[in-house]
């Protein structure tokens, strides 16, 4: 939660995003994760299982599209 505090994103906001935004699946750092992106605020939440792995603000849609396209090395 340190990252979210640094970026002024509250735990309540994170929980609300997870409950209300349809997630997308993406591959990052050797694992499949679920992403929740709010285009209005530019906030991206990444989750693997029950663990929040990513909290980023000021994210552009292009970055989200790149995440969606990423695949594991074969």
């Amino acid at each position: 939660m340190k990252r979210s505090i640094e970026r002024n994103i509250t735990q309540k906001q994170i929980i609300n995003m997870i409950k209300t935004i349809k997630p997308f699946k993406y591959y990052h750092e050797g694992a499949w994760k679920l992403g929740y992106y709010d285009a209005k605020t530019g906030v991206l939440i990444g989750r693997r299982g029950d663990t929040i792995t990513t909290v980023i603000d000021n994210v552009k849609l292009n970055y989200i599209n790149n995440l969606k396209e990423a695949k594991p090395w074969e």
Side-chain angles (χ1 to χ4, degrees):
M1 294 306 285
K2 181 181 175 189
R3 294 266 187 189
S4 63
I5 293 167
E6 291 171 357
R7 295 179 172 134
N8 286 328
I9 301 167
T10 67
Q11 185 175 9
K12 184 177 178 178
Q13 287 172 292
I14 292 169
I15 291 168
N16 188 50
M17 283 180 65
I18 290 171
K19 287 182 177 179
T20 60
I21 295 175
K22 182 179 176 182
F24 64 92
K25 193 173 178 181
Y26 69 100
Y27 191 81
H28 188 253
E29 295 179 340
W32 286 102
K33 300 178 182 183
L34 289 179
Y36 303 83
Y37 176 62
D38 183 346
K40 283 190 235 177
T41 62
V43 173
L44 168 66
I45 305 298
R47 182 172 119 179
R48 183 173 180 206
D50 291 333
T51 303
I52 301 298
T53 60
T54 307
V55 178
I56 306 173
D57 58 350
N58 299 315
V59 175
K60 305 292 183 216
L61 184 57
N62 189 46
Y63 181 81
I64 299 302
N65 290 333
N66 286 339
L67 277 180
K68 290 178 179 180
E69 301 269 331
K71 303 286 184 248
W73 287 80
E74 294 190 18

